[in-house]
Amino acid sequence: MSAKDILEDNVNAKNGSFLHYLHNKSEFNVDSFKKLYAAIRVLADEEVGISRVAQDINYVYGQILKCLLFHFDENDEFKINNLPENYSKLIEYLDKSVEYYFKTRI
């Protein structure tokens, strides 16, 4: 599966994507998270147009952050069932990949 396909699957929360697990099943699936992280890094190094890919990365990144905010909001019923203890480190990796994408593109 190509990096662009992985990103698109997350945009659409397709079954097996990180956003599918996070949003639809309230699960933090580490394997699909790693695939998303790696896909963003690959997309940063590819010679593809920035517009659509950048919008998709921004959307997926925003959805992940919202889910984490909702998880920690005492007034919200959304909870992530198996949030890893090192979730902040994983999100930091994601931050770095998103930052890397935009630094190499702009």
Side-chain angles (χ1 to χ4, degrees):
M1 178 175 280
S2 75
K4 194 168 183 180
D5 290 338
I6 292 169
L7 178 61
E8 188 174 316
D9 285 355
N10 277 276
V11 167
N12 296 314
K14 189 173 178 182
N15 189 19
S17 70
F18 180 69
L19 270 187
H20 167 77
Y21 285 111
L22 188 63
H23 188 263
N24 296 339
K25 296 191 171 218
S26 301
E27 294 179 15
F28 195 105
N29 183 281
V30 175
D31 290 336
S32 61
F33 175 86
K34 289 178 181 178
K35 287 179 186 176
L36 174 61
Y37 163 80
I40 293 171
R41 296 291 295 214
V42 166
L43 289 168
D45 293 329
E46 287 184 354
E47 296 294 327
V48 296
I50 186 172
S51 178
R52 184 65 192 166
V53 172
Q55 289 174 358
D56 289 348
I57 289 172
N58 183 58
Y59 173 79
V60 169
Y61 186 57
Q63 291 300 306
I64 292 168
L65 294 178
K66 283 179 187 177
C67 285
L68 286 169
L69 287 171
F70 296 150
H71 172 78
F72 289 107
D73 183 347
E74 294 176 7
N75 297 317
D76 198 296
E77 293 183 21
F78 179 82
K79 297 296 177 218
I80 301 169
N81 295 323
N82 60 335
L83 190 63
E85 287 185 28
N86 68 337
Y87 77 90
S88 61
K89 190 68 168 173
L90 294 172
I91 297 305
E92 188 175 316
Y93 289 140
L94 184 62
D95 288 341
K96 297 290 184 195
S97 68
V98 171
E99 181 180 333
Y100 178 74
Y101 175 83
F102 285 105
K103 280 185 176 180
T104 61
R105 292 309 192 174
I106 298 175

